[in-house]
């Protein structure tokens, strides 16, 4: 018999809270996947996304086919 094992019962411990409090939201460009910064509300998020200029965003907003000449 092993003398090192004294009990088979678990020792109760208080676990840290599983709730995550988010104070800011990290903004990532959906076109180029670069991190733009963080915002506290949706108004700041829209301003930051509007000021971000990247090549992928400009290409996505162009028409997919050319406009006929005549």
């Amino acid at each position: 018999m092993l003398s090192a094992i004294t009990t088979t019962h678990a020792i109760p411990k208080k676990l840290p809270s599983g709730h995550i409090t988010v104070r800011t939201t990290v903004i990532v460009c959906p076109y180029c996947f670069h991190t733009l910064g963080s915002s506290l509300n949706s108004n700041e998020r829209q301003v930051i996304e509007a000021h971000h200029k990247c090549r992928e965003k400009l290409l996505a907003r162009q028409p997919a086919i050319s406009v006929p000449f005549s």
Side-chain angles (χ1 to χ4, degrees):
M1 187 164 162
L2 298 173
S3 61
I5 300 174
T6 58
T7 181
T8 58
H9 298 288
I11 300 170
K13 293 182 181 178
K14 184 173 181 176
L15 297 175
S17 174
H19 185 268
I20 299 172
T21 57
V22 177
R23 297 184 187 267
T24 61
T25 304
V26 176
I27 303 169
V28 177
C29 177
Y31 301 103
C32 64
F33 302 109
H34 286 124
T35 304
L36 305 178
S38 61
S39 68
L40 297 173
N41 54 27
S42 62
N43 292 337
E44 283 185 33
R45 180 183 185 94
Q46 290 174 354
V47 169
I48 292 171
E49 287 176 347
H51 287 289
H52 174 66
K53 307 265 190 284
C54 63
R55 183 173 183 260
E56 291 84 0
K57 184 178 179 180
L58 295 174
L59 289 174
R61 293 187 176 195
Q62 291 182 350
I65 59 172
S66 63
V67 179
F69 182 71
S70 58

